[in-house]
Amino acid sequence: MTGGGLILVVEDSEEDTEAIQRALSRSHPSLDLEFAPRSEDVLPRLLAPAARTPDLLLLDLNMPGTDGLTLLSSLRAHPVCASLTVVVFTSSTASAEEDACYAAGADSYIYKPVNFELFQTVLQGAVDFWLPGATDDSADASVTAAPPAAPPA
């Protein structure tokens, strides 16, 4: 493990990806962040033999193609991914979606605030809870992008 751990962020919004990157680079500079803009790419990435296992998966629900809830169900059905910590980080405040996420195996369900300072505080709190000891101000965050996805058929 490098620094404070690896977070795999499944998020299709470039704006939200940038906000997550900025927020976590300020609060947890030693974390390694990897971004996956498509849900379809996540399970193959997690099952790749040489791939580093994330310490936390941050999951958006409203994704094109395979949505976050479907991905969450797939992850929990696969033995290799069953114990992965999954935090749903979404703009949805619908209680039915929250209930469905917990029923599908989410470890936490967090609403994305619109205000950046609150966004940063909420995200920092989630990472502090799920990755105790991840705060290390002496290292720089390493950010990688998922391989480019093939265009939809």
Side-chain angles (χ1 to χ4, degrees), residues 67-108:
D67 65 18
L69 183 58
T70 302
L71 174 60
L72 176 60
S73 296
S74 297
L75 293 174
R76 292 307 188 220
H78 203 287
V80 173
C81 304
S83 64
L84 179 63
T85 301
V86 178
V87 173
V88 175
F89 192 53
T90 184
S91 57
S92 174
T93 58
S95 61
E97 282 190 339
E98 182 177 357
D99 292 344
C101 286
Y102 282 121
D107 293 292
S108 188

Side-chain angles (χ1 to χ4, degrees), residues 2-52:
T2 304
L6 172 64
I7 297 179
L8 177 57
V9 181
V10 184
E11 174 63 68
D12 65 309
S13 163
E14 288 182 25
E15 183 177 286
D16 285 351
T17 295
E18 182 180 324
I20 290 166
Q21 183 177 345
R22 279 191 309 144
L24 289 178
S25 69
R26 291 177 184 178
S27 66
H28 297 83
S30 65
L31 284 176
D32 292 328
L33 302 176
E34 181 179 337
F35 292 90
R38 293 171 25 113
S39 294
E40 294 84 358
D41 298 332
V42 174
L43 194 55
R45 184 265 182 238
L46 292 172
L47 298 177
R52 182 175 166 201

